Amino acid sequence: MEKMLHSAPIHTNLPDCFVFPADKRPPATAAVVSLPIIDLSLSRDEVRHTILEAGKEIGFFQVINHGVSEQAMQDMEAVCQEFFHLPAAEKAGLYSEDTQKATRIYSSTMFDTGSEKYWRDCLRLACSFPVGDSAMAWPDKPQRLREVVEKFTVQTRAMGMEILELLCEGLGLRHDYFVGDISGGEVVLHVNHYPPCPDPSATLGLPPHCDRNLLTLLLPSMVPGLEVAYKGDWIKVQPVPNAFVVNFGCQLEVVTNGLLKSIEHRVVTNLGVARTTVATFIMPTTDCLIGPADEFLSKDNPPCYRTLTFGEFKRIYSVVKLGSSLNLTTNLKNVQKEI
């Protein structure tokens, strides 16, 4: 627990292990954009068209009237903040650097590639569906955490599945294409906590990366920090009250043979205010075989990706650091011959 940022006193100086060399610091940007805001309560035709347009243009969008109750969102935000304010001794048993452990707390990120660390603590929770006994592995403090997380996760996953069905309709896939193993893995939650940082210009909360899963649904906090790669620059995402930020994972790019893109994003730190976010990842099962759907293939449009199990894809991701790639397609092509 001594490695957890939030357990230490207020940081007045940035420790050397968090300081990136100048040539590794992504350039700062002043660009601010309001991601497309999609009202899921509008007509189905309008919603699916808007989702596709937003996805093709920027790869990210925000959704409102999404079916996750305001109470569930508020309770989730509150209980996550309560968790990180618990005494260190009450969280010590959850600390682990074992990336195979389903439920744990840890500092920095799986993207570490050298001596530099990232300014972030994370509570990782895994949830099977139906939830059942998987909640018993979650922390039992704060007392209401398990109940709140279960309610939030069930509602958030339902929203994600609705978005995937809308995508099917817009893309010309059968309506249940994303039902089954391709979305049937554990739902993984990352409760990210970014304490106030003494020098935000010298470090990052998360590095530039693409999500390896199918779909990501972010409860973003009203404290800005997320930045998205766009037309050679980084744009600062301005959160909208009671909205989720949605982005496509690598598996959606593979299924659509590159029509939809998994876009790089990163997290910057804040000098004076802590930021806590909740990312919900809809994942395939490990042995799910994923490749370009026939609907996106033709003589003039051959497969850009080899068909792989999700487990194989994760191995590639960890080996070649696809998460820090600006060109997922090229990297997959380059490493597939190694499989």
Side-chain angles (χ1 to χ4, degrees):
M1 282 297 295
E2 68 276 2
K3 295 183 180 180
M4 301 297 291
L5 294 168
H6 73 279
S7 297
I10 295 175
H11 300 271
T12 56
N13 295 295
L14 189 66
D16 289 344
C17 62
F18 291 96
V19 178
F20 283 72
D23 62 345
K24 290 187 178 181
R25 299 179 196 175
T29 178
V32 178
V33 67
S34 178
L35 295 179
I37 300 170
I38 300 175
D39 185 342
L40 294 185
S41 69
L42 298 179
S43 73
R44 203 164 182 87
D45 285 346
E46 183 175 354
V47 171
R48 66 191 178 203
H49 172 76
T50 310
I51 286 176
L52 276 179
E53 290 303 306
K56 292 176 183 178
E57 169 64 19
I58 196 170
F60 276 74
F61 51 92
Q62 300 195 66
V63 292
I64 58 174
N65 294 324
H66 38 61
V68 182
S69 71
E70 186 174 342
Q71 189 64 57
M73 297 168 71
Q74 291 175 351
D75 287 348
M76 189 66 179
E77 289 177 334
V79 81
C80 291
Q81 291 176 8
E82 289 171 27
F83 173 83
F84 281 103
H85 282 97
L86 288 173
E90 296 186 16
K91 297 173 288 193
L94 289 166
Y95 180 82
S96 176
E97 297 182 8
D98 180 2
T99 59
Q100 302 304 310
K101 192 170 182 179
T103 297
R104 65 187 180 111
I105 55 174
Y106 60 98
S107 195
S108 194
T109 171
M110 63 177 284
F111 297 108
D112 293 343
T113 56
S115 58
E116 300 90 6
K117 302 296 182 183
Y118 295 93
W119 196 260
R120 170 237 197 188
D121 290 340
C122 180
L123 167 64
R124 184 193 192 277
L125 303 171
C127 180
S128 301
F129 272 80
V131 176
D133 294 338
S134 61
M136 299 305 294
W138 302 342
D140 56 5
K141 294 181 181 179
Q143 186 175 4
R144 64 187 185 130
L145 182 142
R146 291 177 179 175
E147 176 186 355
V148 168
V149 171
E150 179 173 351
K151 183 179 294 185
F152 173 85
T153 307
V154 168
Q155 293 185 26
T156 303
R157 184 180 186 276
M159 170 184 62
M161 295 307 295
E162 175 67 13
I163 291 172
L164 288 169
E165 185 172 322
L166 286 161
L167 279 172
C168 286
E169 295 174 7
L171 292 166
L173 296 169
R174 67 176 193 274
H175 76 280
D176 62 349
Y177 188 93
F178 294 114
V179 176
D181 286 352
I182 196 167
S183 63
E186 289 183 322
V187 174
V188 175
L189 280 73
H190 283 180
V191 182
N192 304 301
H193 183 73
Y194 308 94
C197 178
D199 188 0
S201 68
T203 192
L204 284 171
L206 279 176
H209 68 284
C210 301
D211 293 342
R212 64 184 181 178
N213 55 296
L214 186 65
L215 191 71
T216 302
L217 311 156
L218 178 71
L219 186 63
S221 163
M222 291 309 293
V223 178
L226 176 64
E227 295 187 350
V228 176
Y230 184 64
K231 295 183 178 180
D233 199 358
W234 292 97
I235 55 175
K236 300 177 183 292
V237 174
Q238 185 60 49
V240 173
N242 298 320
F244 278 81
V245 176
V246 180
N247 68 281
F248 301 147
C250 294
Q251 306 314 309
L252 266 175
E253 179 168 335
V254 170
V255 167
T256 62
N257 205 34
L259 178 64
L260 300 180
K261 300 295 186 184
S262 183
I263 301 299
E264 273 203 318
H265 48 289
R266 70 184 188 187
V267 175
V268 296
T269 58
N270 188 288
L271 179 62
V273 184
R275 178 173 180 259
T276 302
T277 68
V278 183
T280 302
F281 302 104
I282 295 181
M283 314 277 285
T285 59
T286 299
D287 59 356
C288 179
L289 202 60
I290 305 171
D294 291 342
E295 288 83 351
F296 303 102
L297 302 178
S298 67
K299 181 178 179 181
D300 298 325
N301 190 35
C304 294
Y305 309 89
R306 181 180 170 186
T307 298
L308 302 169
T309 67
F310 185 53
E312 289 175 311
F313 183 92
K314 288 191 293 184
R315 182 178 68 81
I316 297 171
Y317 187 102
S318 63
V319 170
V320 301
K321 298 297 184 291
L322 288 176
S324 60
S325 165
L326 278 171
N327 193 328
L328 173 64
T329 304
T330 298
N331 275 273
L332 275 175
K333 287 179 179 177
N334 287 342
V335 301
Q336 282 172 346
K337 60 180 178 290
E338 301 173 11
I339 301 299

